[in-house]
Amino acid sequence: MEPDDDSARGLAQLEGFLLLNAEVERARRQARRFTDELPWLTTAQRDDVERVYLADRVAVTRASLTRIRDRALELRGEYTERYERLRARCLAVSALAVCAATGGCTALTLLVR
């Protein structure tokens, strides 16, 4: 494995970690705002509601990110396949053009003699 691949993978993991932490912090703030609207909760109840809310949000976020990752992998496969087909067609057309030009030049040379 090349160092550039390791660097790219490390940066992607770091980005994912930072995005997940930002989402967790956002969920914490939303949970706090939610429980602030319920002043009759005891401190223990407030903590429980925030904990459950946070766990639910993290689970939803993970599920969403997993679906996005899976779809991205699907698309990468589809586009790689399309690229390979297009590349093969371009190579075939190029080879055909070279053969046609070579054949035309050969035919012209034979006719001129």
Side-chain angles (χ1 to χ4, degrees):
M1 182 160 303
E2 295 195 19
D4 287 341
D5 291 341
D6 288 340
S7 297
R9 181 174 291 114
L11 286 175
Q13 287 175 346
L14 179 61
E15 180 183 19
F17 175 79
L18 293 173
L19 287 172
L20 182 59
N21 279 345
E23 181 61 28
V24 168
E25 189 55 39
R26 189 173 19 257
R28 276 193 182 107
R29 286 192 308 271
Q30 289 175 343
R32 176 74 59 195
R33 280 196 307 269
F34 179 73
T35 57
D36 286 346
E37 297 294 319
L38 307 171
W40 60 85
L41 292 176
T42 65
T43 301
Q45 289 171 332
R46 181 180 306 274
D47 291 343
D48 284 344
V49 169
E50 288 177 11
R51 181 184 48 75
V52 169
Y53 184 92
L54 180 61
D56 184 59
R57 278 293 299 277
V58 168
V60 168
T61 298
R62 285 186 190 276
S64 295
L65 291 175
T66 299
R67 281 193 306 274
I68 291 168
R69 181 204 60 206
D70 292 346
R71 182 62 181 145
L73 290 174
E74 275 181 37
L75 288 173
R76 179 183 291 162
E78 289 175 20
Y79 287 128
T80 299
E81 182 181 321
R82 287 180 186 179
Y83 170 78
E84 292 297 327
R85 281 194 312 234
L86 180 61
R87 184 171 168 231
R89 285 182 197 156
C90 287
L91 286 173
V93 167
S94 297
L96 183 60
V98 167
C99 288
T102 303
C105 288
T106 303
L108 185 61
T109 302
L110 292 176
L111 289 175
V112 172
R113 284 189 179 184

